């Protein structure tokens, strides 16, 4: 039942296609306009980080479901994977305004606030996997 | 349904139920990918089985009511329709297997029996689909109403000036709704100034203040301005005691003062008559 | 792709009709500064009504272009930022507090007029 799409990111166009794929899926599973914008923006941030800091990688966008006795939750999950340099100090990059590229440093802390669940898994020299989930309310 | 078939199902009901429950574990893997807790799944199956066996002897109306409450439960739990349809298909398979293995029914009646069971399953599924779609609509409708009540409306008072009275406690979830309402209202009414009236907010802590500040920043981004009104003495005390900085936030003691400032901002004056 | 820049008396008007990709945004920054220089414009309105997403990169480009234009003596007002876009910006902690805003093109022009009279 889960819909999945994967977008290669190695040019700026990858960023654009990843966020388009995200917007379409978010719309399809019934997110309102604000959450659609949140999901699209989060994808844009993660895809751009791949392009800027790891040169290439992949964005996977999928629907997920979770069942509880009180009800079921449906959501959209974004996975950003790269085999770039990795992140040495995760706490540091999660601070508002921290940047090594002259950006706003709002990307990663921003994604964390835009989405409901957020997780970074990174090994220096091997790469980074970031997952983020937005649940449908 | 044919009396002989009913009797057969009735006589073998324990065995049928057991077979059915066993086969339903496949449905659990298939429909839920094991994400439903086992005990919850088993309990629901129990109810499902009771519903099925009930439908054989209960009056039609009763059966329907039972089915409705089961449908409502599935919706509340957010379970997909395929749980029900697959459950019914599984039941049909189990019954047909019992019938073909036993010799209760003369073989010339076989075709008729198959046909009857088929029809009965279809009828159950159709009824549930009916209930499902009907209840979905009511549930959605009720949720929308609840949301409307929870979130504050934006009330236009003059051209370009609106008031948003906040009432009750503000948690993060509500703050989000209020923000969306506020911004949509601004666009809809083309408001240049919004007065946020917090007279009805019982407690302003750092969290609530944070939400109000964020709302005002968002309001500015869409191209309007906020004025905070209705700050009661005890609220003023907590704001200062907590060290909350509302420095950038224009505040006015009363709604009327707020409206006057709004008028000045939109280049209009209240003319005293 | 290039975003068209229109001239209205002493002002420049830009209505962004697409979600900005990086190249288009940077190209726009350059084009706008050149145009301000060419025309000696006193004010600029950038209308974002049709823009459905602004991420931190685009936000930075837009914030920068306002600052750069100010340096060249032109005031910039941004108009039509959609509620969903405003909320995501706030979520990300981007408040663009140096950028004057207005609801729509018409009010944006009014705001420019006021600011230039002051
Ligand atoms: N995929 C990645 N691989 C390696 N480093 C990364 C990656 N993503 C982010 N970073 C590091 O984290 C910092 C903060 O990222 P972010 O919050 O998006 O802000 P910005 O991109 O504006 O610098 C970046 O400057 C970079 O050093
Ligand atoms: Mg970034």
């Amino acid at each position: 039942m889960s819909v999945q799409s994967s977008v290669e990111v190695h040019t700026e166009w990858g960023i654009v296609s990843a966020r388009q794929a995200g917007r379409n899926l978010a719309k399809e599973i019934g997110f309102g306009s604000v959450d659609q914008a949140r999901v699209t923006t989060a994808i844009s941030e993660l895809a751009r980080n791949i392009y800027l800091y790891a040169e290439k990688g992949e964005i996977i966008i999928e629907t997920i479901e979770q069942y509880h006795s009180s009800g079921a939750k449906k959501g959209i999950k974004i996975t950003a994977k790269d085999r770039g340099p990795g992140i040495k100090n995760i706490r540091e990059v999660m601070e508002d305004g921290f940047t090594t590229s002259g950006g706003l440093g709002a990307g990663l802390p921003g994604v964390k606030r835009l989405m409901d669940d957020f997780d970074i898994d990174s090994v220096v020299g091997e790469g980074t996997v970031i997952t983020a989930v937005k649940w449908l309310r | 349904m044919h009396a002989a078939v009913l009797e057969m199902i009735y006589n073998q009901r324990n065995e049928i139920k057991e077979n059915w429950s066993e086969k339903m574990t496949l449905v659990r893997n298939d429909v839920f990918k094991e994400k439903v807790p086992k005990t919850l799944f088993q309990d629901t199956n129990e109810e499902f089985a009771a519903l099925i066996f009930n439908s054989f002897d209960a009056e039609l109306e009763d059966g329907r009511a039972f089915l409705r409450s089961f449908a409502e439960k599935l919706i509340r739990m957010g379970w997909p329709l395929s749980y029900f349809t697959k459950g019914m298909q599984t039941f049909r398979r189990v019954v047909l297997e019992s019938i073909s293995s036993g010799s209760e029914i003369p073989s010339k009646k076989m075709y008729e029996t198959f046909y009857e069971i088929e029809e009965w399953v279809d009828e159950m599924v159709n009824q549930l689909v009916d209930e499902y779609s009907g209840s979905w609509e009511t549930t959605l409708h009720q949720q929308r109403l609840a949301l409307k009540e929870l979130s504050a409306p934006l009330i236009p008072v003059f051209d370009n000036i609106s008031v948003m009275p906040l009432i009750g406690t503000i948690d993060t979830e509500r703050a989000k709704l209020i923000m969306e309402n506020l911004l949509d209202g601004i666009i809809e009414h083309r408001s240049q100034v919004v007065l946020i009236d917090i007279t009805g907010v019982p407690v302003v802590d750092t969290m609530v203040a944070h939400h109000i500040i964020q709302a005002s920043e968002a309001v500015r981004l869409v191209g309007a301005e906020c004025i905070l009104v209705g700050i009661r003495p005890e609220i003023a005390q907590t704001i200062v005691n907590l060290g909350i900085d509302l420095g950038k936030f224009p505040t006015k003691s009363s709604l009327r003062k707020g409206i006057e400032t709004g008028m000045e901002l939109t280049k209009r004056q209240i003319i005293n008559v | 792709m290039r975003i068209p820049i229109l001239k209205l008396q002493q002002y420049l008007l830009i209505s962004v009709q697409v979600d900005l990709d990086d190249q288009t945004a940077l190209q726009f920054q350059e084009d706008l500064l050149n145009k301000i220089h060419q025309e000696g414009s006193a004010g600029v309105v950038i209308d974002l009504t049709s823009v459905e997403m602004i991420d931190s990169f685009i936000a930075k480009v837009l914030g920068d272009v306002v600052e750069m234009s100010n340096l060249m003596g032109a005031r910039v007002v941004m108009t039509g930022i959609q509620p969903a876009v405003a909320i995501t910006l706030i979520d990300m902690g981007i408040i663009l507090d140096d950028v004057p805003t207005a609801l729509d093109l018409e009010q944006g022009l009014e705001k420019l007029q006021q600011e230039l009279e002051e």
Side-chain angles (χ1 to χ4, degrees):
Chain A
M1 277 232 294
S2 84
V3 190
Q4 194 179 4
S5 60
S6 156
V7 180
E8 298 283 332
V9 178
H10 51 81
T11 63
E12 279 175 16
W13 292 109
I15 305 174
V16 175
S17 359
R19 67 191 187 209
Q20 263 162 11
R23 158 110 34 203
N24 289 342
L25 189 59
K27 202 180 276 179
E28 203 178 297
I29 66 178
F31 280 108
S33 65
V34 177
D35 279 343
Q36 282 176 35
R38 287 192 172 107
V39 168
T40 314
T41 309
I43 292 174
S44 192
E45 295 295 341
L46 295 175
R48 176 165 294 97
N49 282 356
I50 290 178
Y51 172 70
L52 283 181
Y53 309 118
E55 279 174 33
K56 62 181 175 24
E58 182 189 15
I59 298 274
I60 300 159
I61 303 157
E62 59 197 319
T63 57
I64 54 169
E65 278 168 87
Q66 230 179 46
Y67 293 90
H68 303 279
S69 52
S70 59
K73 289 205 288 187
K74 209 172 185 188
I76 193 164
K77 179 177 175 184
I78 310 164
T79 310
K81 273 189 202 165
D82 67 64
R83 294 177 169 280
I87 296 170
K88 207 173 9 182
N89 187 340
I90 290 181
R91 192 184 304 178
E92 193 174 61
V93 299
M94 290 311 294
E95 274 166 26
D96 278 306
F98 178 85
T99 178
T100 55
S101 67
L104 289 180
L108 292 178
V111 173
K112 186 174 171 164
R113 286 192 294 259
L114 290 168
M115 305 291 283
D116 296 321
D117 304 340
F118 179 85
D119 186 51
I120 300 187
D121 194 1
S122 185
V123 178
V124 173
E126 284 182 23
T128 303
V129 179
I130 298 176
T131 52
V133 176
K134 188 87 200 162
W135 295 108
L136 200 58
R137 253 167 269 277
Chain B
M1 210 183 287
H2 200 277
V5 182
L6 285 179
E7 200 181 306
M8 196 274 329
I9 293 177
Y10 189 76
N11 287 338
Q12 301 188 17
R13 68 175 185 282
N14 287 338
E15 190 194 322
I16 290 176
K17 199 183 138 192
E18 212 167 285
N19 279 339
W20 179 76
S21 302
E22 203 182 297
K23 290 206 164 68
M24 282 304 276
T25 43
L26 290 176
V27 173
R28 174 161 172 253
N29 298 343
D30 196 29
V31 176
F32 299 104
K33 314 220 164 33
E34 297 194 330
K35 274 181 277 187
V36 160
K38 203 168 181 169
T39 48
L40 174 68
F41 189 71
Q42 280 166 351
D43 290 349
T44 313
N45 280 349
E46 279 296 319
E47 217 173 300
F48 194 171
L51 171 79
I52 291 175
F53 286 107
N54 237 299
S55 76
F56 294 127
D57 40 36
E59 289 288 304
L60 195 68
E61 266 314 298
D62 276 331
R64 185 96 199 192
F66 200 173
L67 193 74
R68 179 173 308 140
S69 79
F70 191 62
E72 273 164 12
K73 180 178 175 155
L74 293 185
I75 289 168
R76 227 178 17 253
M77 300 196 301
W79 286 23
L81 197 55
S82 55
Y83 164 74
F84 188 83
T85 52
K86 288 198 169 142
M88 288 307 294
Q89 284 156 6
T90 308
F91 189 82
R92 178 181 57 196
R93 190 144 30 94
V94 171
V95 168
L96 293 179
E97 273 166 20
S98 305
I99 292 175
S100 14
S101 67
S103 54
E104 265 93 327
I105 295 170
S107 56
K108 60 174 178 181
K109 283 255 180 216
M110 257 320 196
Y111 174 76
E112 222 173 292
T113 310
F114 273 81
Y115 183 74
E116 278 184 357
I117 291 178
E118 197 69 45
E119 225 177 9
W120 168 76
V121 168
D122 282 352
E123 181 55 26
M124 289 281 278
V125 170
N126 283 342
Q127 280 182 19
L128 190 102
V129 170
D130 263 13
E131 293 300 340
Y132 223 86
S133 41
S135 308
W136 249 123
E137 274 158 25
T138 15
T139 314
L140 270 182
H141 184 63
Q142 282 164 354
Q143 276 175 353
R144 293 228 177 84
L145 282 183
L147 281 184
K148 273 230 172 84
E149 262 170 37
L150 270 176
S151 50
L154 185 71
I155 306 162
V157 282
F158 291 101
D159 287 352
N160 307 328
I161 302 177
S162 301
V163 179
M164 178 157 243
L166 297 183
I167 294 157
T169 31
I170 297 170
D171 57 15
T172 306
E173 205 49 42
R174 243 197 110 208
K176 282 186 177 169
L177 276 176
I178 290 171
M179 168 114 88
E180 285 182 34
N181 252 3
L182 180 60
L183 300 188
D184 287 343
I186 288 173
I187 305 290
E188 188 185 335
H189 303 299
R190 288 175 47 94
S191 319
Q192 283 175 286
V193 176
V194 188
L195 308 168
I196 299 186
D197 183 358
I198 61 165
T199 316
V201 180
V203 191
V204 177
D205 55 10
T206 10
M207 206 55 203
V208 173
H210 173 75
H211 290 313
I212 294 176
I213 291 169
Q214 284 206 319
S216 79
E217 284 167 344
V219 165
R220 207 193 65 79
L221 281 178
V222 300
E225 268 173 87
C226 267
I227 299 172
L228 196 59
V229 300
I231 302 183
R232 285 171 288 124
E234 67 271 27
I235 301 276
Q237 280 172 320
T238 34
I239 288 178
V240 172
N241 287 340
L242 287 172
I244 297 168
D245 182 14
L246 287 179
K248 273 193 286 177
F249 215 113
T251 52
K252 286 284 167 261
S253 55
S254 68
L255 198 57
R256 182 178 166 95
K257 289 249 169 62
I259 289 175
E260 281 173 8
T261 312
M263 293 240 166
E264 274 163 35
L265 283 170
T266 59
K267 297 272 139 57
R268 214 182 308 252
Q269 247 101 58
I270 292 185
I271 297 155
N272 288 314
V273 270
Chain C
M1 192 173 31
R2 276 178 126 108
I3 295 172
I5 300 174
L6 307 178
K7 191 170 171 256
L8 182 80
Q9 292 154 7
Q10 50 178 3
Y11 301 135
L12 297 178
L13 297 185
I14 301 98
S15 167
V16 182
Q17 290 296 332
V18 287
D19 266 357
L20 291 162
D21 63 81
D22 304 7
Q23 265 325 302
T24 312
L26 290 170
Q27 183 71 53
F28 164 64
Q29 189 176 76
E30 200 180 314
D31 289 351
L32 179 59
L33 297 178
N34 285 334
K35 195 86 173 179
I36 291 173
H37 182 68
Q38 245 174 52
E39 307 285 345
S41 318
V44 179
V45 179
I46 303 178
D47 184 58
L48 300 167
T49 308
S50 309
V51 172
E52 292 188 312
M53 189 226 58
I54 295 180
D55 64 8
S56 69
F57 180 84
I58 306 292
K60 181 168 164 32
V61 174
L62 290 175
D64 286 352
V65 86
V66 172
E67 210 181 313
M68 294 164 184
S69 306
N70 287 343
L71 281 175
M72 295 178 63
R75 298 290 290 156
V76 184
V77 175
M78 283 199 203
T79 61
I81 296 180
Q82 290 299 304
V85 174
I87 291 173
T88 45
L89 285 172
I90 296 301
D91 277 353
M92 287 202 294
I94 300 170
I95 55 175
L96 295 173
D97 50 358
D98 294 329
V99 181
T101 55
L103 279 176
D104 52 27
L105 216 71
E106 194 189 324
Q107 293 190 4
L109 283 168
E110 247 171 62
K111 187 154 192 166
L112 267 187
Q113 204 95 40
Q114 283 168 21
E115 296 218 350
L116 293 173
E117 278 166 14
E118 272 167 16

